[in-house]
Amino acid sequence: MRTMLMAGAAGLSLALAVALPANAAELKILAGGSMTGPMKELGPRFEKATGHKLTFVYAGTPELIRQAASAPFDAGFVPIPVVQSAQARDKFGPSVPVGRVGYGVSVKAGARKPDISTVEKFKDVMLKAQSYTLYPESASGAIIAKTFEKLGIAEQMKPKLKAQANPAGIVKAVASGEAQYGVFVTHVLTAPGLEPPVPFPAELDHQLVFVGAVAKASPNAAAAQAFIDYLRTPEAVAVFKAKGVTPG
């Protein structure tokens, strides 16, 4: 078994290989929508190395909570508010931090970047913005909304918002000129067609933490745990860093 795994993918550690079950499993993985990029790269690598098959359900925080509370799944790679929610926390086993991301503002490629180096400058740029876009139905959207409330500009920002149904829509809206600013987690805004994002000022830059956890009711707990363990291997860490996600 160990020889087959090592031949499948050199990036998996020996400890992970030993832990893998003898039979391939089909795993349903709940994942934060903004982690689509890293998972599209890491998922196939894990499948090739182990023989397990992964089906990802990408969604924002409220939908992930509903999914976890009402439908079978095997593991989650989700924003920490999901596993802390009253509705879903009993569905997850112990969670471990996998990655974290900060927040920023981006503009269309070639456009002038905003100066948001201080809280007052950030507030001024937002108030003068013609439009901005984000994904409201997500943990990131909720944190940004709370930031606007903290700054006392929530009501002024509401008519400027061009809401998106997923993170990909944010990139498309900014790159096409539909929205002047993309305001979201920085790894989503690091994309073709956009200028590299400008980070929030330090006083406002919360870190959104993503955790991995196996579902308590999963019939494939060993395979699900192997996937969570894989997300913390050097191979996965390298992919996260390349995608703008800080490991751990």
Side-chain angles (χ1 to χ4, degrees):
M1 177 63 183
R2 183 179 302 173
T3 302
M4 179 184 72
L5 290 171
M6 293 179 67
L12 289 179
S13 67
L14 179 60
L16 175 58
V18 170
L20 290 170
N23 298 319
E26 295 185 3
L27 304 176
K28 178 181 176 181
I29 310 295
L30 303 183
S34 66
M35 287 296 168
T36 303
M39 290 301 96
K40 282 188 174 179
E41 188 165 335
L42 292 173
R45 294 190 188 189
F46 179 79
E47 290 178 329
K48 182 178 179 181
T50 65
H52 298 314
K53 299 298 180 184
L54 305 178
T55 298
F56 287 96
V57 177
Y58 297 106
T61 297
E63 178 59 23
L64 289 170
I65 292 172
R66 286 191 289 269
Q67 286 276 345
S70 62
F73 69 102
D74 294 292
F77 176 42
V78 296
I80 199 167
V82 176
V83 300
Q84 293 177 337
S85 68
Q87 303 97 306
R89 64 189 175 206
D90 290 340
K91 304 296 183 178
F92 292 93
S95 63
V96 293
V98 176
R100 63 189 67 234
V101 291
Y103 293 82
V105 177
S106 192
V107 295
K108 181 179 181 179
R112 183 178 179 180
K113 293 184 179 182
D115 180 359
I116 56 171
S117 55
T118 68
V119 172
E120 285 305 313
K121 288 181 179 180
F122 175 86
K123 182 176 178 180
D124 185 60
V125 166
M126 291 294 100
L127 287 173
K128 291 179 179 177
Q130 296 176 355
S131 61
Y132 73 101
T133 185
L134 53 73
Y135 177 20
E137 292 294 315
S138 66
S140 298
I143 287 175
I144 293 166
K146 288 180 181 178
T147 299
F148 290 157
E149 290 175 4
K150 178 181 178 181
L151 295 175
I153 62 174
E155 290 303 314
Q156 296 97 313
M157 296 306 295
K158 286 179 180 178
K160 303 171 186 279
L161 174 61
K162 295 185 179 295
Q164 304 300 325
N166 52 57
I170 298 171
V171 175
K172 183 178 179 181
V174 177
S176 68
E178 176 189 348
Q180 182 181 8
Y181 296 122
V183 184
F184 210 58
V185 281
T186 54
H187 73 291
V188 169
L189 300 175
T190 305
L194 276 61
E195 289 292 323
V198 182
F200 277 22
E203 298 91 332
L204 301 178
D205 191 21
H206 304 280
Q207 293 284 303
L208 179 61
V209 178
F210 286 81
V211 298
V214 175
K216 287 182 179 178
S218 171
N220 306 300
Q225 185 62 56
F227 176 66
I228 299 303
D229 291 342
Y230 173 62
L231 296 182
R232 306 180 81 200
T233 62
E235 179 180 7
V237 165
V239 171
F240 284 131
K241 287 182 177 179
K243 299 291 185 181
V245 179
T246 301

